[in-house]
Amino acid sequence: MSNAIVIFGSTTGVAEDVANRIASKIGTTAISVSDLNADVIAANDVLILGSSTWGYGDLQDDWYDGVELLKTSKLTGKRVAVFGCGDSSSYSDTFCDAMSIIARAAVDAGATLVGSVSTDGYTFDSSASAVDGRFVGLAIDEVNENDKTDGRIASWVATLGL
């Protein structure tokens, strides 16, 4: 079994709650991205990275330093899965965009991205995180679709091979 950790950026607690639910499902811990450092990266084969999306497609504030750390890390040989929290009604044209920023930084640093999710069953207009009918990771809408969150987490975690 691979060493895995869940790393989140959360302002209102929603992404933190989702991170803790994911960590519980896979039997690991969740930490804030403000606690992310080179030692954490080195100690884990699988990084599960999550952020809420703010404004019009922006990262949660703590993730800006986290993305810079990812960009300067050697992630070759590591698997990265991403999840994002967003509001598919009020921000339908930037739904979970933050996932794409984190995923791009990880892939550019050599990581293998895992855990894409079909956009089927989601209601949104546009997302930088959706390519060819798939999100780069798990999209969560706790505002409008919180009744689907537990099922989506369970299905997604099962695809990660942990």
Side-chain angles (χ1 to χ4, degrees):
M1 181 167 172
S2 300
N3 291 332
I5 191 163
V6 180
I7 302 160
F8 64 87
S10 188
T11 300
T12 63
V14 173
E16 180 177 7
D17 176 60
V18 170
N20 284 322
R21 289 155 79 180
I22 292 168
S24 176
K25 270 284 190 219
I26 62 175
T28 191
T29 58
I31 65 167
S32 172
V33 66
S34 60
D35 296 323
L36 180 62
N37 58 46
D39 292 337
V40 171
I41 292 171
N44 291 280
D45 303 314
V46 180
L47 306 173
I48 300 172
L49 311 174
S51 177
S52 49
T53 297
W54 285 90
Y56 292 95
D58 298 321
L59 284 168
Q60 188 274 341
D61 287 342
D62 295 334
W63 261 111
Y64 287 98
D65 288 339
V67 164
E68 290 307 311
L69 178 60
L70 291 177
K71 287 179 179 179
T72 60
S73 298
K74 293 184 189 213
L75 300 181
T76 304
K78 296 195 182 284
R79 291 183 294 152
V80 168
V82 295
F83 69 93
C85 300
D87 180 339
S88 64
S89 179
S90 298
Y91 296 95
S92 185
D93 57 341
T94 59
F95 180 58
C96 290
D97 278 4
M99 281 195 302
S100 68
I101 299 166
I102 296 169
R104 189 172 331 122
V107 168
D108 287 350
T112 300
L113 192 63
V114 297
S116 70
V117 172
S118 173
T119 59
D120 292 345
Y122 288 88
T123 303
F124 67 101
D125 291 324
S126 180
S127 176
S129 295
V131 179
D132 296 328
R134 296 193 70 79
F135 287 111
V136 296
L138 176 63
I140 296 291
D141 182 347
E142 282 287 270
V143 176
N144 305 291
E145 299 179 347
N146 62 338
D147 59 323
K148 298 179 182 179
T149 299
D150 287 334
R152 286 176 171 165
I153 289 172
S155 295
W156 183 65
V157 165
T159 70
L160 299 180
L162 298 174

